[in-house]
Amino acid sequence: MSDSQRFPVAAHALAYLAHKGAYDAAHACPSAILAASVPTNPVVIRRVTALLSKAGLIATRPGASGGSWLLRQPEEIRLDEVLKAVNGCAHLGSPPLGAKGCPIGEHIPRQVAKVLTLADQAASDSLRKITIADLLAEKSTALDGLEEPPACAEAIRAAGAVAA
């Protein structure tokens, strides 16, 4: 799974667990069910749920009767926590090493690292105001005024055409 998909898959999985009322082991949701909702491969879900579990957002139980469940209420899970759990803005990449002896090559990695830190902080600051509950709400003040990016709308339409 690409780094750029970890956050959307994680947010989707957490919202699905909340929607299904998976708050304890008795109501654990199997990775195959989560995968069907995204849709993606169960292995992708298990990789993401491992990160979410390590961050203390969910618990998991392996095996045929296994699955995942939330450790907190959806109103208490902020999206900046989810972003951090899946390694932040890692999909933006990492600074190039730069060529020794090149004035640009030796300078740019430090500058790019600063920009990546800035982007990660900006994303975290924005996402801190949004919870999993906001994603599930028909109307959420945290999401008011935000529009769906055109590329996302096209991808959703294309996925709907494929599924139909």
Side-chain angles (χ1 to χ4, degrees):
M1 165 185 42
S2 71
D3 287 345
S4 65
Q5 290 303 302
R6 283 188 193 140
F7 176 74
V9 168
H12 186 119
L14 291 167
Y16 189 85
L17 292 172
H19 171 73
K20 288 298 188 178
Y23 296 105
D24 55 43
H27 297 94
C29 185
S31 57
I33 301 293
L34 282 172
S37 175
V38 170
T40 192
N41 189 294
V43 171
V44 169
I45 293 297
R46 286 191 287 275
R47 287 179 184 150
V48 168
T49 56
L51 294 170
L52 296 173
S53 178
K54 184 177 178 184
L57 298 174
I58 66 170
T60 61
R61 178 178 59 207
S65 63
S68 302
W69 61 94
L70 295 173
L71 293 175
R72 297 181 358 220
Q73 295 296 310
E75 299 82 15
E76 300 169 355
I77 302 173
R78 297 183 329 263
L79 295 187
D80 66 315
E81 296 175 279
V82 179
L83 184 68
K84 184 177 179 183
V86 297
N87 301 317
C89 291
H91 66 277
L92 292 176
S94 57
L97 295 176
K100 283 246 187 247
C102 174
I104 299 301
E106 289 181 352
H107 175 73
I108 293 299
R110 288 187 306 279
Q111 300 303 80
V112 170
K114 291 174 187 176
V115 170
L116 292 174
T117 300
L118 180 66
D120 201 42
Q121 187 60 51
S124 185
D125 290 347
S126 294
L127 294 174
R128 185 174 294 116
K129 303 169 191 163
I130 305 166
T131 67
I132 294 298
D134 291 318
L135 298 181
L136 292 168
E138 191 68 33
K139 290 200 176 243
S140 165
T141 55
L143 300 175
D144 280 352
L146 299 177
E147 293 189 26
E148 189 175 280
C152 290
E154 289 176 29
I156 291 169
R157 277 194 297 279
V162 171

